[in-house]
Amino acid sequence: MSSKGLRSRGAGRRFAAGVVCALLTALCAAPAAGTPAGPGGRGLSAVIRYTEYGIPHIVADDYAGLGFGTGWAQAQDQVCVLADAFLTVRGERSRWLGPDAVPDPQGSFAGSNLASDLYFRGVRDAGTVERLRATPAPVGPSRAATELGRGWAAGYNAWLRRHRITDPACADAGWVGPVTPVDVSALEYAAGVLLGQGRAIDGITAAEPPPSGPDRGAARTVGPGPGPRGAHPRTDGRPHPGSNAVAFHGSTTQDGHGLLLGNPHFPWHGPQRFWQSQQTIPGELNVMGGSLLGSPTASIGHTADIAWSHTVATGVPMNLYQLTLDPADPTTYLVDGKPERMTGRTVTVPVKDRAPVTRTQWSTRYGPVLTTLDTTGPLPWTRRTAYAVNDPNAVNLRGTDTALALARAHSADGVRAALHRTQGIPWANTVAADARGHTLFTQAQVLPRVTDDVARRCSTPLGATSYPSSGLAVLDGARSDCALGTDPDALQPGVFGPAALPTLQDAPYVENSNDSAWLTNADHPLSGYPRVFGTTGAPPSLRTRQALQDVAALADRGHLTVEDLQRHQFADRSLAGDLSADGLARLCAAAHPGAPDREATEPGATAAACHVLARWDRTLNTDSRGALLFDRFWRRLVAGTAPEELWEVPFSPADPLRTPHTLNTASPAVPRALEGAVAELRDAGIPPASRWGDSQFVVRHGDRVPIPGGSAELGVWNVIDARWDPAGGGYTEIESGAAYLQAVGWDGTACPVARTLLAYGQSSDPRSPHSADQTALFSTRRWVTSRFCESDILASPALRVVTVAE
């Protein structure tokens, strides 16, 4: 046996012994709590060791106990956010909060509580989640996954029974109550369909047959659908999750081990927050990572051997079918000339202070009928035509098993095998590195099996436009030969199997910033995949260009360490600034020669602003001066200028990382955008030379905390999206962006070298000491040293051991 194998086995024995000692110590020291319980005793139980920043290290002897400890600990930190999420998947928002309020736009595409409730009540009335839970593995969830969920619900309920809620968001609220394992699975289901059926909630719940009388006409246009990029912030306030991730091969690192930097961009508020923990079943599972709230597993994380992260992929996880209707009955559609009846299901939603609302939802062999899709144009149900949405993730409840399989993997090859075996990821790529120096990128999504051939043969006029532009296929539902086939290695019908997935292994680096798989490594471009996966040869976002330039340079330099990853995360360079600030400064100098250097509040304001831009350091660090002025200028310019008019040198697929470039200063849009930005800051009373952190900040415990990073439009790796509030001083609250960060490597010892950072802290309760402690770290670019090994956990000066039991 190799020395490494001996070291690993020895480390495993020492780890197990340390855990047992810690468990025994905790159980002996802990006061009795309810029924006698503990590892090996009656009822579910777990031991939770808290270290700095309120990070729990949860130990149990089986999956149900691990779920119990996780549910308990998540409830302690996030009970109000979790209760609100359960209100959603139970279809009870209207009952408690009224039908007209809008769910958190960072977590839902529903336009109102009523629409959300009608959709999720429909899911519940149909028994969809229960049916998926009962499906035998591997198509359905494994026993381990089911036990985790059962334990999570029990742990959450036990915490509620024993604690009084102090968070003002839901203290004394009648809608906070116990949950069931089905509720926990319903959260997984809702996350899975978020970017599929979730984008059609309003259209599904509003769809009704046309009244008798003249035909209202068929739809002639369709919008871009569920766009191919999470790289660009949406402007409608709806979810726009995104991410960056990069893995470096051992050939580029200091000691031959792999490196991984994960930087997901998710909401800072609501049910899509991350929460950090370590989960351990001695001898079975040991993983540290960030979980989406309500999840009993680590969504992204690291073990002793591997590290992985996910990025929102460009694959479109649904397609539409255009139905040809029976002229005599708009609830009957034709397939190969034969009539098929739609299925109608009556859904009733209780409503606060009003009568219940009852609607009928209609479904077809392809999926539910809809009349709108997110921000697309209308898809009207006429007497001749209707549309149905096919979302393969509406029958996929394998996400927990995929997360467990990743946490059990021991290599990059093992990560790939885990993804192929479980096939549970709905809308994300996976980037991984391992201790032996290997790397992996794979777009292992559950996608409708829309091949380019199917799209060519079966696209309707709408699909002929939408599929090439966005990957959203609109197929002819009147032809049975337009049904989606099944790959032989796919777990479920109508989806691509693992062999079709864009994948790159063991390149010097693999990187993704929400563009397609094409430029995962600029020297090893991926191609040949169907359009539904994403584009090839199309302009990448500025963020992708900046990221690829930077990581390629790092890989070429070599001898990389975790510290290099940490510096890269907070470099906060703006490619938009690098590409355009010089040209803008020259334009300014020509228009305002010899202009004074003064604040932009007088007639010479634009000239003075030019001097500010000339001295700007092209970053969005908190102390950067001129960043706010450029940010407001750039947003105005991009919003009002076609991409082909923005640059003098156009995009070339042969040089995708350096084109387009050179700001087209001859365009009248450029000085107009600058003048508008100057006026905007002047009206808000904000000096253009003010520090970036003076205008991008959050208020925590009464103090302003400056926040680095900025919009993806600026080409910044460290994405931060905030709402512009000039009356409040600028960007005064973060909506989404950098969330759970991890920089992971290995040094040949039993413990990984890992640094983590949860940008908004573990708790959303403003009274918690962990509601802002890591935000202060994020503000000053400091990280948390991951306490993964037993010796590190037990050495924590903040160590607090709690035994939790039924």
Side-chain angles (χ1 to χ4, degrees), residues 4 7-8 10-12 14-15 255 257-259 278 286 288 302-307 434-435 562 743-755 785-795:
K4 180 175 181 178
R7 178 183 60 79
S8 298
R14 289 193 299 274
F15 167 78
D255 47 21
H257 305 288
L259 289 172
Q278 183 176 10
N286 191 21
M288 170 76 83
H302 73 84
T303 68
D305 303 304
I306 64 163
D434 68 28
V562 167
V744 185
W746 293 267
D747 61 4
T749 67
C751 300
V753 180
R755 306 292 181 263
T785 298
S786 178
R787 292 186 178 274
F788 182 79
C789 285
E790 276 298 293
S791 57
D792 293 326
I793 296 169
L794 299 177

Side-chain angles (χ1 to χ4, degrees), residues 317-328:
M318 63 177 161
N319 69 281
L320 302 182
Y321 280 95
Q322 184 171 317
L323 309 176
T324 299
L325 303 181
D326 183 338

Side-chain angles (χ1 to χ4, degrees), residues 595-622:
D597 183 10
R598 60 173 177 267
E599 297 295 355
T601 56
E602 302 299 330
T606 302
C610 288
H611 283 255
V612 172
L613 288 176
R615 295 194 303 273
W616 175 44
D617 63 6
R618 319 287 173 81
T619 76
L620 287 98
N621 298 322
T622 54

Side-chain angles (χ1 to χ4, degrees), residues 350-362:
V351 177
K352 182 179 181 180
D353 301 328
R354 300 188 200 174
V357 172
T358 299
R359 300 268 178 85
T360 300
Q361 295 176 20
W362 299 90

Side-chain angles (χ1 to χ4, degrees), residues 584-585 587-589 592 595 605-615 629 674 678:
L584 187 58
L587 176 67
C588 284
H592 306 282
T606 302
C610 288
H611 283 255
V612 172
L613 288 176
R615 295 194 303 273
L629 175 62
L674 180 58
V678 169

Side-chain angles (χ1 to χ4, degrees), residues 128 132 135-141 188-189 192-193 197 316-319 365-366 389-399 402 419-427 444-450 483-501:
T128 300
L132 294 176
T135 303
V139 178
E188 179 182 339
Y189 180 89
V193 301
Q197 280 191 17
V316 181
M318 63 177 161
N319 69 281
R365 63 158 67 182
Y366 305 112
V389 57
N390 167 52
D391 180 354
N393 288 295
V395 291
N396 168 23
L397 202 64
R398 297 185 295 275
T402 296
L419 294 168
H420 289 189
R421 187 172 63 252
T422 58
Q423 298 177 32
I425 294 181
W427 36 262
Q445 288 184 260
V446 176
L447 287 180
R449 192 180 174 276
V450 179
L484 304 182
T486 299
D487 284 347
D489 54 346
L491 281 180
Q492 70 182 68
V495 302
F496 288 102
L501 306 175

Side-chain angles (χ1 to χ4, degrees), residues 200-243:
I201 285 177
D202 288 355
I204 291 170
T205 57
E208 57 181 355
S212 58
D215 198 331
R216 291 180 292 177
R220 287 182 169 80
T221 60
V222 66
R229 261 184 224 161
H232 300 297
R234 297 170 54 83
T235 57
D236 59 0
R238 298 302 177 184
H240 49 85
S243 307

